[in-house]
Amino acid sequence: MPPLREVIAAHGLAAKKALGQNFLLDLNLTGRIARRVGDLAGSDVLEIGPGPGGLTRALLAEGARKVVAIERDARCLPALAEVAAAYPGRLEVIEGDALAVDPLPRLAPPIRIAANLPYNVGTELLVRWLTPAAWPPFWQSMTLMFQREVAERIVAAPGSKAYGRLSILAQWRTEARIAFEIPARAFTPPPKVTSAVVHLERLDAPRFPADAAVLSRVVALAFGQRRKMLRASLRPLGEAEALLDAAGIAPTERAEQVSLEGFCRLARLVAARQA
């Protein structure tokens, strides 16, 4: 297949800022991402925002059984059709918004998610994938590119400024690691930030027992006003100090000081009181 720069030029695919597009053209890097996804030979892959198809090509070349790619930008469809023609029967492209499209009828387990996520929807998609109605989810793993700042929030430990809601949601149910960073110069156009690839491998069960909806609410309240002491930020729960004492958490602590296990303990107490 022709180099990606030629594909972009041939189809007039200037990246659109409004769509959060930054095209990754270095095939060595797209290949590295595809290899980090895991065993592709027996897996279907869901890709979001394939653009001109750089990562798509790599996933197929590395042996993905099938790739289902959701692309919102109709300008990219002819370029993706060329990729589909080069890998007959293995690439299905859905034109649409990834926040509104259900790709599951087109995928068969085991399913892996791999994407250079558009910056403007990446975090929202990740939260959705981490908080399904039932666990384990439809996916086996996720290999996703984010701004480095977001990647650091996903893997952050208690006590750090990056530690927050994303850290809790990701680490409660997955093994999350930053795989490697990608400099801005690797993209067209170059973003103003460094990017990082994060690999999340699902756990069969959460690390600590808790009701997902209750935990999400507790964490959202705690980090929604992260500069406040927990006895203030958790006041909407009612009897916040008593709950915190029962969970073994000092009411004067702030959210970033509480471990994942501590938040799960607190969520169990809140759920028990509501029962």
Side-chain angles (χ1 to χ4, degrees):
M1 297 192 69
L4 282 172
R5 290 191 184 278
E6 291 183 14
V7 172
I8 287 174
H11 295 284
L13 295 178
K16 285 187 176 180
K17 187 174 182 180
L19 295 177
Q21 290 176 330
N22 296 93
F23 298 145
L24 182 60
L25 305 185
D26 187 328
L27 295 180
N28 290 322
L29 285 173
T30 55
R32 188 178 178 191
I33 296 169
R35 288 189 292 275
R36 187 63 187 87
V37 173
D39 179 17
L40 290 173
S43 300
D44 283 6
V45 180
L46 172 62
E47 184 186 5
I48 308 299
L55 179 57
T56 317
R57 288 192 198 185
L59 293 166
L60 292 164
E62 290 293 326
R65 185 172 60 195
K66 179 183 181 182
V67 174
V68 173
I70 302 175
E71 178 54 62
R72 184 179 174 186
D73 188 354
R75 301 176 308 148
C76 296
L77 301 183
L80 293 168
E82 294 173 4
V83 179
Y87 294 92
R90 293 173 57 204
L91 171 61
E92 182 175 353
V93 180
I94 304 170
E95 181 184 0
D97 184 343
L99 294 171
V101 171
D102 178 11
L104 286 187
R106 298 171 167 87
L107 293 159
I111 300 165
R112 299 181 184 274
I113 302 174
N116 170 13
L117 287 172
Y119 284 159
N120 52 359
V121 297
T123 301
E124 184 174 352
L125 284 169
L126 175 62
V127 170
R128 287 190 182 192
W129 290 327
L130 290 171
T131 56
W135 195 270
F138 72 87
W139 49 269
Q140 188 75 34
S141 70
M142 299 190 286
T143 307
L144 308 171
M145 193 189 308
F146 296 98
Q147 297 178 45
R148 182 172 60 186
E149 176 189 349
V150 176
E152 289 172 347
R153 284 162 52 198
I154 292 168
V155 304
S160 67
K161 290 183 178 180
Y163 183 66
R165 177 170 172 254
L166 268 187
S167 318
I168 297 292
L169 294 180
Q171 296 171 38
W172 183 43
R173 288 169 153 174
T174 78
E175 189 71 44
R177 294 284 184 272
I178 293 178
F180 53 89
E181 294 183 355
I182 297 181
R185 65 178 180 274
F187 296 87
T188 299
K192 295 179 180 179
V193 295
T194 298
S195 298
V197 174
V198 181
H199 183 77
L200 303 98
E201 199 79 26
R202 80 178 191 198
L203 301 175
D204 289 336
R207 293 185 191 279
F208 308 103
D211 177 271
V214 175
L215 178 62
S216 292
R217 183 177 179 227
V218 168
V219 170
L221 286 171
F223 286 101
Q225 302 181 74
R226 62 186 300 149
R227 291 186 179 182
K228 289 189 174 182
M229 295 179 185
L230 288 169
R231 66 186 179 193
S233 59
L234 297 181
R235 191 171 290 135
L237 296 176
E239 300 179 2
E241 290 209 29
L243 283 167
L244 289 162
D245 284 336
I249 300 168
T252 53
E253 286 194 346
R254 291 174 172 81
E256 65 191 40
Q257 299 170 284
V258 180
S259 68
L260 168 61
E261 185 176 8
F263 273 117
C264 289
R265 216 166 37 237
L266 184 58
R268 290 197 300 272
L269 288 166
V270 173
R273 195 180 63 179
Q274 295 173 350

